[in-house]
Amino acid sequence: KRQFSLMPQFKATVYKARNLEPHDGDGLSDPYCVVSCGHQKEKTAIIKKSLSPVWDQTFTFTFTGDPVANPLRIEVYDKDRILDDKLGHVSIYLRGLKKGEEKIEWYKVDVVQGEIQIGITAIDFEN
């Protein structure tokens, strides 16, 4: 049985990534993530010269409807001077969450290579 308030919230923690594709001349990348759900968008710090960055950053998202209908999207980029290169993305559907319990998993980054570790905690809903 799904239960949620009118404005349900969840926390998404971008922990780290591994085996990202190198995009710079030195065989590394300067990765960062854009984390979005619905109309809300957040951005992690840029980690210089790494293919296995550690961000450990948490963002709180608020829905205006059913949390299952809107996936959490994480896009991984390589910061460059002019145009940032996309390293890949992952979409996570918010299912199987228990209120107050963090669900931590590794997700394969689509498009190129690598994985990203994400933790999701339902603050005031279960599904």
Side-chain angles (χ1 to χ4, degrees), residues 20-53:
L20 294 177
E21 185 175 51
H23 266 255
D24 294 341
D26 58 7
L28 298 170
S29 287
D30 303 317
Y32 70 92
C33 296
V34 174
V35 186
S36 61
C37 189
H39 299 301
Q40 189 175 341
K41 191 179 282 193
E42 305 290 345
K43 185 176 160 185
T44 67
I46 298 162
I47 306 297
K48 298 280 188 187
K49 301 186 181 303
S50 179
L51 300 179
S52 297

Side-chain angles (χ1 to χ4, degrees), residues 64-76:
T64 55
D66 186 342
V68 177
N70 297 293
L72 175 68
R73 184 169 172 89
I74 295 108
E75 297 173 290
V76 186

Side-chain angles (χ1 to χ4, degrees), residues 10 12-14 32-44 59 61 63 67 69-77 86-94 107-111 116 118 120:
F10 72 95
T13 301
V14 180
Y32 70 92
C33 296
V34 174
V35 186
S36 61
C37 189
H39 299 301
Q40 189 175 341
K41 191 179 282 193
E42 305 290 345
K43 185 176 160 185
T44 67
F59 305 101
F61 290 87
F63 292 104
N70 297 293
L72 175 68
R73 184 169 172 89
I74 295 108
E75 297 173 290
V76 186
Y77 292 93
K86 188 170 184 177
L87 299 178
H89 68 272
V90 64
S91 291
I92 303 167
Y93 286 89
L94 305 174
Y107 297 90
K108 182 163 176 24
V109 175
D110 292 338
V111 179
I116 189 163
I118 304 294
I120 300 172

